[in-house]
Amino acid sequence: MDYLYTLSGFAVGAIVGLTGVGGGSLMTPLLVLLFGVHPATAVGTDLLYAAMTKAGGTVAHGRKGHIDWQVTGRLAAGSIPAAALTIWVLSMLPEGSNTIGKIVSHGLGFALLLTAIAILFGRKLREYASRHDESPLRQCCLGKITVGVGVVLGVLVTISSVGAGALGVAALFFLYPKLSPVKIVGSDVAHAVPLTLVAGLGHWLLGSVDWSLLGALLLGSLPGIWLGSHLSAKVPEHILRRILASMLVLIGSKLVFA
């Protein structure tokens, strides 16, 4: 079975390299629906997987000056306490029941549907934000709104392992339309590392991490991301994103309405 996990990691890594999104959005539902991994274990393992893979991206973006640390700090000020609080709430649920599994499964489906919307309508959201960049609400409360978005991402990511990528980028494009795309992506990647690390360690304390599974996924995903990154210029991105969004709608609907 390990080689199938590695192969899955390679496939998901290649999609991430091609499109820039799809890590948690595909890996977690793949583990749950295809391999029958318990939802909480799939989420906990994927969170640490994300923390490790995005740490390298943070270093690369940081060296190139592609991170707005003020924006990253605002997101983290909301997301990290929210992640810790969410882990505490999950730890209070009765042991031996399937309550955590149901919460995680439905939360995962909901997050996938939101991610699909962000992928499909991201450009329109950015255009709308650019037209309303000087709104009074944005001028007075942008910092507080960013912290609030961080809280929402912290809860979603901790429950589902989905949202730190596509949803985070979509939110930052909406809040900071004048920030360059490369700084949006760099700031989001930098924010994802401490968030997924805190949430992943929390799941580990709850017993929801499979370390052998994590190793098998990393073994496949790292070369997959490398290959996808090199092929990205040769494949029409808009086609890939539409296919990815359609897959997320189908998977998310199955999890929400199961």
Side-chain angles (χ1 to χ4, degrees), residues 164-175:
L167 283 181
V169 167
L172 289 182
F173 267 122
F174 187 77
L175 293 172

Side-chain angles (χ1 to χ4, degrees), residues 170-197:
L172 289 182
F173 267 122
F174 187 77
L175 293 172
Y176 300 91
K178 290 183 178 178
L179 205 60
S180 66
V182 70
K183 281 204 169 187
I184 292 283
V185 172
S187 302
D188 181 70
V189 170
H191 164 248
V193 174
L195 170 56
T196 53
L197 182 61

Side-chain angles (χ1 to χ4, degrees), residues 28-253:
T28 305
L30 188 69
L31 292 174
V32 173
L33 297 175
L34 187 62
F35 293 110
V37 176
H38 189 277
T41 302
V43 167
T45 303
D46 186 61
L47 284 167
L48 289 180
Y49 161 82
M52 293 177 186
T53 54
K54 291 187 177 184
T58 299
V59 172
H61 280 295
R63 285 178 176 173
K64 295 176 181 178
H66 293 166
I67 299 173
D68 187 317
W69 291 107
Q70 183 183 44
V71 171
T72 299
R74 287 172 175 174
L75 286 173
S79 66
I80 292 177
L85 183 60
T86 303
I87 288 292
W88 178 79
V89 171
L90 292 177
S91 72
M92 293 294 105
L93 296 175
E95 293 184 15
S97 72
N98 196 35
T99 306
I100 293 180
K102 289 180 180 178
I103 290 173
V104 169
S105 183
H106 285 83
L108 174 59
F110 178 68
L112 291 176
L113 293 177
L114 285 179
T115 302
I117 292 170
I119 292 171
L120 287 173
F121 300 105
R123 182 175 296 176
K124 291 184 178 179
L125 286 172
R126 293 196 294 272
E127 291 172 353
Y128 175 86
S130 296
R131 291 195 301 269
H132 297 81
D133 185 50
E134 304 299 328
S135 67
L137 181 63
R138 189 189 299 273
Q139 295 299 317
C140 79
C141 306
L142 184 58
K144 293 178 182 177
I145 294 171
T146 307
V147 173
V149 168
V151 170
V152 174
L153 288 176
V155 174
L156 268 182
V157 170
T158 304
I159 291 176
S160 68
S161 79
V162 177
L167 283 181
V169 167
L172 289 182
F173 267 122
F174 187 77
L175 293 172
Y176 300 91
K178 290 183 178 178
L179 205 60
S180 66
V182 70
K183 281 204 169 187
I184 292 283
V185 172
S187 302
D188 181 70
V189 170
H191 164 248
V193 174
L195 170 56
T196 53
L197 182 61
V198 168
L201 291 175
H203 276 275
W204 174 50
L205 293 175
L206 295 177
S208 302
V209 173
D210 185 326
W211 292 100
S212 62
L213 171 59
L214 176 60
L217 294 176
L218 285 169
L219 189 62
S221 68
L222 295 178
I225 291 172
W226 180 87
L227 178 64
S229 300
H230 282 75
L231 293 176
S232 59
K234 301 178 182 179
V235 183
E237 182 185 347
H238 67 280
I239 294 176
L240 285 170
R241 282 178 171 262
R242 285 173 185 170
I243 293 172
L244 179 60
S246 300
M247 290 171 56
L248 297 184
V249 169
L250 290 173
I251 297 168
S253 301

